[in-house]
Amino acid sequence: MINTAKVQGFKINLLKYEEALNFVKTSLDNGENIQIVTINPEFIEAAKKNPDFANVLKYAELVVPDGVGIKLALKFKGINQEQIRGVDFAQSLIELADKNGYKLALVGAKPEVNTKLVEILSEKYPNLNIVYSHDGYFENEDVIIEEIKKSGANLVFTALGAPKQEFFNDKLKVSLQGVASIGLGGTFDVMAGCVKLAPPIYRKLGLEWLYRTIKQPERFKRIFPTLPLFLFHSIIEALGSKD
């Protein structure tokens, strides 16, 4: 049983990076269905306004703290949980798939990004079994899910943006058997080399969001006021729990 904590009513699994990775491996080896959510403050603020999204987060089997805001919210409560970045976790899962023969499906991003990612991964990992790939531009989810089913994929990466990718993965979980899925947002762009990864100093300080906002100013409206509001609510919550 994985330990959990609540941040503004939403569960976060408390575990080390390797423990999270082992959880996925065990689930795949046992043919279990799991949905992995890389949660950040934007997810929580969106889920507060969307009960269906909140329900998906509630029943996800593994919810890891991707955003530094989640790490801070837990720290306000006296919980020292390491940040598990989606881009790093995806890389580890690819290495796990390469080593253990898991069948990988890549769904999402622009057509050219998806194609580039398949090329890069196939070149870097000759033994990696990519059995299915499709860009994020499709109208009928059921067709894509059926194609994933036919491919035999048991590890599915989706980069459709939140909450679309989480709804898709939830649907995947109830439609297929023995599949681990994870929503990865803009990670395909980073892994395909189309978007530069934040320099080490930004990553060390947990400021990847700032680097990405500098590089992509259009993200500013998404981050603000969501992040400050989230941190404010987290501080209030933490102070209330000490009463």
Side-chain angles (χ1 to χ4, degrees), residues 68-69 198 206-214 219 223-224 227:
V68 68
L207 295 173
E208 298 99 323
W209 62 270
L210 178 59
Y211 177 81
R212 290 180 67 186
T213 304
I214 293 169
R219 289 175 55 85
I223 298 293
F224 297 95
L227 185 57

Side-chain angles (χ1 to χ4, degrees), residues 89-108:
F89 202 59
Q91 186 63 50
S92 296
L93 289 174
I94 286 168
E95 292 167 6
L96 198 69
D98 181 56
K99 184 179 178 181
N100 293 276
Y102 302 137
K103 297 176 181 179
L104 179 64
L106 302 167
V107 180

Side-chain angles (χ1 to χ4, degrees), residues 6 32 53 102 139 169 173 195:
K6 289 282 183 75
E32 298 169 354
F53 187 31
Y102 302 137
E139 294 182 2
N169 290 348
K173 184 170 67 176
V195 173

Side-chain angles (χ1 to χ4, degrees), residues 48-66:
K48 287 178 185 177
K49 304 168 188 173
N50 186 334
D52 291 332
F53 187 31
N55 208 45
V56 169
L57 298 183
K58 179 181 178 180
Y59 290 104
E61 285 69 25
L62 184 62
V63 181
V64 298
D66 177 40

Side-chain angles (χ1 to χ4, degrees), residues 15-35:
L15 69 181
K16 295 177 181 177
Y17 190 97
E18 284 301 319
E19 291 174 333
L21 205 56
N22 287 334
F23 178 83
V24 179
K25 183 181 185 304
T26 300
S27 299
L28 284 167
D29 290 344
N30 292 337
E32 298 169 354
N33 273 14
I34 64 165
Q35 179 176 4

Side-chain angles (χ1 to χ4, degrees), residues 134-151:
H134 197 290
D135 60 66
Y137 297 84
F138 53 83
E139 294 182 2
N140 194 327
E141 288 186 348
D142 294 332
V143 170
I144 302 298
I145 289 173
E146 186 59 31
E147 289 176 354
I148 293 172
K149 183 177 182 179
K150 287 178 180 176
S151 75

Side-chain angles (χ1 to χ4, degrees), residues 157-174:
F157 288 3
T158 55
L160 305 170
K164 185 178 179 180
Q165 63 195 15
E166 279 67 42
F167 284 125
F168 182 88
N169 290 348
D170 182 63
K171 197 171 182 179
L172 201 65
K173 184 170 67 176
V174 299

